[in-house]
DNA sequence: AGGGCAACCCGGACGC
DNA sequence: TGCGTCCGGGTTGCCC
């Protein structure tokens, strides 16, 4: 379930590999994944140049030469793969773009995930409800503190609320709370200023470390890529139920909060 | 407001 | 090896 670090790793690799390439073929194997009729989608995407690659929350954004935007959300299990010219893949892919140099960009396993073609207005509308980018300049301690004070619920589910902060999901919310030494069921508005400060610093610090390590994905982005997925063995609490905490040797516990799995160390998170 | 829940979807895990 | 069953995960929408 890609979150900011995984999408950022994709974004950086896409920026280095597909920029200024021209799309010469579009294959849509899964029509449900796109937002307009396939013929229209192909008409608007084929023959276009890739002019920019960016990210908003968990969305990847590919800007085309004609001013349209390909906006993708991988949801669960979705992934992106860049195949070298002539490289054969076992999976068919939900949507595939072939470039003039015969490399191919695969969007794979878009089951709940999607790849939409938007005008700028449509994209703005799609992103209108998203909270601040936690790695962006507008995410300040004061903003976080103010927003926390307005919320009655527990901090863990709040961190995964895309309207509260964009791009954090189930895994990194647990990792962030571990780093900040805050228990996931603590009420957001009851965090003291020291805890808010720790949370504020833990958010970018955990996300940036995960990005540097390549995120926690299982599959590479392309042949020879040994960056993607490097964070897997660095996770502190996520999916480590019953295993010793790396910080204090307490046992990592799993609880459910608002229907969300929440891993934490009961002895060093307060 | 926020918690609960169903729907979406199917790969992968598990049972036999 | 195979076939059936079930679960998970982010998001949306609807209910209370």
């Amino acid at each position: 379930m890609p979150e900011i670090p995984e999408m950022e790793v994709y974004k950086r690799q896409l920026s280095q590999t597909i920029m200024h390439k021209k799309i010469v073929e579009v294959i849509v194997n899964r029509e449900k994944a796109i937002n307009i009729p396939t013929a229209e989608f192909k008409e608007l995407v084929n023959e276009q140049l890739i002019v920019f690659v960016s990210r908003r929350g968990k969305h990847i954004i590919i800007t085309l030469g004609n001013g349209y935007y390909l906006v993708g959300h991988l949801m669960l299990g979705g992934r992106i793969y860049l195949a070298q010219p002539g490289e054969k893949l076992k999976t068919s892919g939900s949507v595939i773009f072939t470039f003039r140099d015969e490399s191919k960009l695969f969007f794979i396993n878009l089951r709940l995930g999607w790849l939409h073609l938007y005008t700028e207005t449509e994209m703005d509308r799609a992103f209108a409800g998203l909270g601040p980018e936690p790695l962006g300049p507008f995410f300040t301690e004061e903003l976080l503190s103010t927003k926390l004070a307005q919320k009655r619920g527990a901090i863990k589910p709040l961190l995964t609320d895309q309207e509260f902060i964009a791009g954090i999901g189930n895994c990194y919310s647990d990792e962030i709370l571990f780093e900040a030494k805050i228990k996931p069921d603590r009420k957001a508005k009851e965090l003291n200023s020291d805890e808010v400060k720790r949370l504020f610093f833990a958010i970018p610090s955990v996300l940036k470390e995960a990005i540097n390590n390549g995120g926690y994905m299982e599959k590479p982005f392309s042949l020879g890529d040994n960056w993607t997925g490097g964070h897997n063995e660095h996770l502190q609490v996520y999916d480590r139920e019953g295993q010793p905490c790396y910080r204090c040797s307490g046992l990592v516990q799993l609880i459910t909060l608002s229907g969300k799995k929440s891993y934490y160390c009961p002895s060093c998170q307060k």
Side-chain angles (χ1 to χ4, degrees):
Chain A
M1 325 87 243
E3 303 174 28
I4 279 181
E6 290 70 39
M7 296 316 291
E8 184 66 23
V9 169
Y10 276 138
K11 187 206 88 179
R12 293 185 190 182
Q13 296 189 97
L14 286 168
S15 300
Q16 288 168 4
T17 52
I18 68 166
M19 207 84 104
H20 313 306
K21 287 190 178 178
K22 185 177 186 178
I23 298 170
V24 296
E25 189 189 23
V26 179
I27 299 172
V28 178
N29 289 323
R30 186 179 170 74
E31 299 200 33
K32 279 185 176 180
I34 61 175
N35 59 325
I36 55 176
T38 300
E40 196 183 333
F41 185 86
K42 290 185 175 183
E43 179 72 24
L44 288 165
V45 175
N46 206 2
E47 301 298 319
Q48 293 304 312
L49 288 173
I50 307 294
V51 301
F52 201 62
V53 182
S54 51
R55 178 190 63 74
R56 176 78 170 96
K58 303 175 186 174
H59 306 262
I60 191 84
I61 306 168
I62 299 173
T63 309
L64 302 178
N66 59 359
Y68 277 83
Y69 300 86
L70 281 167
V71 177
H73 192 308
L74 300 178
M75 298 286 268
L76 352 143
R79 63 188 179 96
I80 302 175
Y81 188 82
L82 182 69
Q84 302 306 313
E87 184 184 348
K88 293 278 178 273
L89 259 74
K90 285 177 188 157
T91 114
S92 61
S94 306
V95 183
I96 304 144
F97 303 100
T98 304
F99 298 108
R100 192 163 42 192
D101 67 359
E102 294 180 25
S103 60
K104 291 171 190 278
L105 183 64
F106 284 73
F107 283 80
I108 300 166
N109 267 342
L110 297 181
R111 328 200 293 248
L112 296 181
W114 43 264
L115 183 64
H116 289 181
L117 188 67
Y118 288 144
T119 62
E120 185 158 7
T121 309
E122 289 166 340
M123 183 170 72
D124 288 347
R125 201 176 305 142
F127 293 158
L130 286 181
E133 283 292 322
L135 298 179
F138 305 114
F139 184 64
T140 61
E141 187 176 343
E142 191 189 1
L143 176 70
L144 178 64
S145 174
T146 306
K147 285 175 73 103
L148 286 170
Q150 295 163 351
K151 294 292 183 176
R152 287 186 288 181
I155 184 64
K156 150 78 185 189
L158 185 57
L159 286 179
T160 69
D161 180 349
Q162 301 304 293
E163 216 168 304
F164 188 74
I165 302 175
I168 296 173
N170 219 30
C171 170
Y172 291 105
S173 55
D174 285 353
E175 295 296 302
I176 286 163
L177 289 172
F178 175 80
E179 173 70 18
K181 301 186 182 180
I182 296 170
K183 276 180 79 170
D185 61 353
R186 290 283 305 283
K187 299 290 177 215
K189 60 159 50 176
E190 291 171 7
L191 297 178
N192 65 38
S193 61
D194 189 48
E195 289 166 333
V196 172
K197 188 176 281 291
R198 293 208 305 265
L199 184 59
F200 174 71
F201 284 105
I203 289 169
S205 133
V206 165
L207 296 176
K208 283 178 187 171
E209 193 202 346
I211 293 167
N212 289 338
N213 287 329
Y216 75 107
M217 283 170 294
E218 293 176 10
K219 311 252 184 173
F221 167 73
S222 63
L223 278 181
D225 159 34
N226 43 30
W227 178 33
T228 304
H231 194 60
N232 295 356
E233 59 265 34
H234 294 273
L235 293 175
Q236 301 293 299
V237 286
Y238 183 73
D239 210 13
R240 295 195 63 243
E241 184 186 11
Q243 296 176 51
C245 167
Y246 294 130
R247 193 162 53 198
C248 78
S249 299
L251 295 186
V252 173
Q253 243 181 46
L254 171 62
I255 56 170
T256 301
L257 287 171
S258 303
K260 290 174 186 298
K261 276 188 173 179
S262 191
Y263 297 89
Y264 72 107
C265 172
S267 59
C268 66
Q269 287 174 254
K270 304 292 180 192

